[in-house]
Amino acid sequence: MEDNMLHYMNKLIDEDINGFDDERFELEQKYAAMFGHGVPREMFPPDISEDEIMKAVESCVQNQKDELFKILDVEE
């Protein structure tokens, strides 16, 4: 049983490392530095995809306006 658990944990770690996206991380860091807070994912409905969120974040950074909720059509 411990071998299965160890295998499962290693698989999760590998997926996390392989799934890490430097460009997204940098974009989120720029957003946080510019607006003083991180991307509030917990406030978005589950049907909004990560890609949609990141496109909106990119737009906010480019325009230098924190309009995530407006862009994603979400009420605050």
Side-chain angles (χ1 to χ4, degrees):
M1 174 135 166
E2 284 186 34
D3 285 340
N4 286 340
M5 180 66 96
L6 186 59
H7 173 74
Y8 176 73
M9 295 302 287
N10 284 331
K11 185 176 177 187
L12 284 178
I13 290 168
D14 289 343
E15 285 176 5
D16 190 42
I17 291 169
N18 293 334
F20 188 79
D21 186 332
D22 286 335
E23 289 180 26
R24 284 186 177 194
F25 180 75
E26 281 186 39
L27 185 57
E28 288 197 47
Q29 292 300 305
K30 286 180 186 177
Y31 178 90
M34 190 175 286
F35 302 118
H37 60 87
V39 178
R41 285 178 175 79
E42 67 279 354
M43 297 179 74
F44 301 137
D47 62 331
I48 296 178
S49 73
E50 183 65 19
D51 285 339
E52 290 173 298
I53 292 170
M54 291 313 296
K55 285 178 186 173
V57 169
E58 184 174 18
S59 176
C60 289
V61 169
Q62 287 176 348
N63 297 325
Q64 298 183 357
K65 293 181 182 176
D66 189 6
E67 299 179 325
L68 271 182
F69 292 92
K70 181 180 175 185
I71 294 168
L72 296 170
D73 197 29
V74 174
E75 303 232 357
E76 289 184 64

